[in-house]
Amino acid sequence: MRLSQSVLLASLATLAMAAKDTEPSPSVPAPACTATSTTGSYFDLRPDIAWPEDSGKAHSKAQHKDYYARGWDYGKNFTLNICNSVVAPVADVVGVSKSQWANVSAYYTSQGNIYSIGSQSLDVQSRGRKLVLQYSDGSPCGKSKSKSKSKSKSSPRSADTVYDNEDTLTKQHAHEVETYAKDDDPKDRKKSTTISFLCDRDVANTHLAVSFVGTDPDECAYFFEARSHHACASSEPHKPGSVGPGSIFGIIFVIAVLVYFLGGVFYNRTVSHARGWRQLPNYSLWSGMWSFISDMFVIATASCARFLPGRRGYSYLSANDHPRNRNSDAENRLIDQLDEEWDD
């Protein structure tokens, strides 16, 4: 009985260790540019990151150009990337130190000046049914002195107006040069960007599409909408160092088999006083099953042997040359000889 109890305790200990391994380790951080919702849905936006063409084989199939979004009636066009700085490097960014130019992830150009609307961030957040990525630490938020004047003089703009180049923007919107009032503190307020991702299951749309939604009245926070099939919920991949569902099932199966055989051997040896192969649990069942498999194998082998070319070739031999015919002739001669001797 002590042996069966030790086997049971070992099985329970193994199951406890397997269950512990399935729990996510707090020391292993989640991959960058991914998110997991409270319901367990997993989102991986890493395939949507744009990389330079010389980034190596690991990103050979990735997007190699920045994403563009038209401002439409807003009067500015935007360039941005997902979870990474823009592919085309920028310089002379207004209000951003030179050391931070390489981290700009979204910007727009106005009157020949580059304004950053957010620096690189890998922190994708799942808020309810929304998947959100936020950039911060852009150019300082300033107020345009001529903005109010230009609004009264300029004609209303249609929402369908498209601005294809900077010359058109400059001619129709002369108020785009931003200046700062004395009471504004550029260090306190900086431009930021919020990108909301939507699931797009259209097979034809292989790349992410970004659309400009709007900005706040102070033109300090910008909002975009991105559609991608990578923003659709999926199952979280297996993490290194943890045990997956298949491994858990395999461990339970192995433990059950060990308990069955070891417990059966212990019972048959101590209670039934069996020895040899008869110590196995249900020995008669396994023995009968093995005999059945052996018989079926012999039957199948004999049935297949009939169709071998060597055996079919004997049917083409002459009937006189057949050994059975020769034996019949010898028997007939012997019978005739005995009949003659009997008559004498």
Side-chain angles (χ1 to χ4, degrees), residues 26-39:
S27 60
V28 180
C33 206
T34 63
T36 303
S37 65
T38 55
T39 58

Side-chain angles (χ1 to χ4, degrees), residues 67-261:
Y67 297 99
Y68 299 96
R70 288 180 175 177
W72 302 100
D73 62 320
Y74 180 67
K76 301 170 185 176
N77 295 331
F78 302 90
T79 303
L80 64 161
N81 197 357
I82 304 299
C83 294
N84 198 9
S85 58
V86 290
V87 175
V90 293
D92 298 329
V93 183
V94 176
V96 179
S97 60
K98 186 177 181 180
S99 60
Q100 299 298 321
W101 291 350
N103 295 330
V104 174
S105 294
Y107 70 91
Y108 65 87
T109 304
S110 177
Q111 296 289 339
N113 298 320
I114 297 177
Y115 295 88
S116 171
I117 57 176
S119 298
Q120 178 181 354
S121 175
L122 304 175
D123 188 16
V124 179
Q125 297 291 334
S126 176
R127 296 191 176 99
R129 296 184 178 181
K130 296 294 184 180
L131 191 64
V132 179
L133 175 63
Q134 290 182 310
Y135 296 147
S136 57
D137 295 331
S139 296
C141 298
K143 295 182 180 179
S144 175
K145 292 182 178 180
S146 60
K147 191 171 184 178
S148 58
K149 298 180 180 179
S150 61
K151 282 186 177 180
S152 59
K153 294 181 180 180
S154 61
S155 58
R157 296 170 295 188
S158 172
D160 297 330
T161 306
V162 179
Y163 303 99
D164 296 325
N165 51 57
E166 291 298 329
D167 294 337
T168 306
L169 295 175
T170 303
K171 293 178 181 179
Q172 298 190 9
H173 302 279
H175 63 282
E176 299 299 335
V177 178
E178 298 182 14
T179 57
Y180 305 102
K182 294 182 179 180
D183 56 346
D184 291 336
D185 189 358
K187 296 181 180 180
D188 294 338
R189 303 178 68 245
K190 292 187 177 182
K191 296 180 183 293
S192 62
T193 295
T194 301
I195 305 175
S196 176
F197 294 88
L198 300 178
C199 175
D200 186 5
R201 300 187 182 276
D202 190 354
V203 181
N205 299 332
T206 57
H207 295 290
L208 178 139
V210 184
S211 303
F212 173 67
V213 177
T215 182
D216 63 341
D218 295 335
E219 297 187 4
C220 198
Y222 295 82
F223 304 93
F224 296 87
E225 183 180 86
R227 292 181 175 273
S228 171
H229 63 276
H230 296 115
C232 301
S234 60
S235 58
E236 187 172 2
H238 175 69
K239 295 181 179 180
S242 61
V243 182
S247 301
I248 291 293
F249 178 79
I251 292 174
I252 295 175
F253 177 77
V254 171
I255 292 174
V257 171
L258 290 176
V259 171
Y260 170 74
F261 279 101

Side-chain angles (χ1 to χ4, degrees), residues 44-64:
D44 188 358
L45 299 179
R46 288 175 292 181
D48 289 328
I49 301 177
W51 297 92
E53 293 183 357
D54 57 350
S55 56
K57 295 182 179 180
H59 308 294
S60 59
K61 297 182 180 180
Q63 172 83 0
H64 297 302

